[in-house]
Structure formats: structure tokens, C-alpha cells
Amino acid sequence: QLAVVVDDAAQEVTEVVRGADLLDSTARQILLQQALGLAVPCYWHLPLLLDAPGHKLSKSLASLPVDSTRPVPVLRALWQLLGQAPAALDGADERDALLHTAQR
């Protein structure tokens, strides 16, 4: 937990979007951040994506990579896959607009 907290602080991470399976580690990370006087990022925990047999999709299991050069279309596609694509995302072309929509 400490390594994650220190790494996030060093990279000035402000938002953490991750699977619901990591929800239980969030409280420990926040306590460490506060104890070390570090900024606490906003956390979002999304439902896990599962393959046809019901196994968690993971990069270690030969899942397709995410195109980091096109974050907005990737986020839109992921939210649609999760069934959480609000209509307001249709007009969001920039990262900040997309994050603002997600925070509402």
C-alpha cells in the first residue's frame, strides 16, 4: 500500500479509476496519504469487466490493450461497456469535460 501511495503522490495523481475489487484498499491508502501529509486523489470504483465465462478481464490474461493515445474514445467505450454511459458524454471531446461529466 505504501508504494502505491508514494508513487501516486510522486506522479501527482488526482483521479484514480479502478475496479470495485480494489475498494477495500482505498481506506488504507487514504489513511497513509493523510498520515504522510499527501494530497488524496478522487477515487472511482467501477464494476469489474468479465469475459464470457465470467472471469475478470485482465492485462495478464491476454486482454486487448487500451489505446492511451486516444483516452476520450476509450473512456466512452468502457463506460458504454459498463452500462454507465450518460448522454452528456456524447458532447465531451476533451479530457476535462469527460472527467467533469463523470464527477457529476
Side-chain angles (χ1 to χ4, degrees):
Q1 300 294 330
L2 180 60
V4 170
V5 165
V6 171
D7 187 53
D8 285 353
Q11 294 184 56
E12 299 179 359
V13 171
T14 58
E15 292 92 15
V16 176
V17 180
R18 58 189 182 185
D21 59 327
L22 296 174
L23 185 60
D24 63 338
S25 63
T26 303
R28 289 188 295 271
Q29 290 173 358
I30 291 172
L31 286 173
L32 282 170
Q33 290 157 341
Q34 291 172 339
L36 296 170
L38 301 172
V40 177
C42 294
Y43 287 94
W44 295 308
H45 294 86
L46 301 175
L48 298 179
L49 296 176
L50 307 176
D51 62 12
H55 300 106
K56 179 176 92 168
L57 288 181
S58 158
K59 63 183 175 189
S60 62
L61 298 174
S63 298
L64 295 175
V66 172
D67 182 358
S68 63
T69 62
R70 300 179 50 219
V72 174
V74 169
L75 286 172
R76 255 195 221 113
L78 288 173
W79 273 331
Q80 288 173 343
L81 184 60
L82 291 167
Q84 298 184 12
L89 289 180
D90 293 338
D93 291 327
E94 297 181 18
R95 177 188 158 276
D96 290 341
L98 196 61
L99 288 174
H100 177 73
T101 300
Q103 290 174 337
R104 283 193 268 150

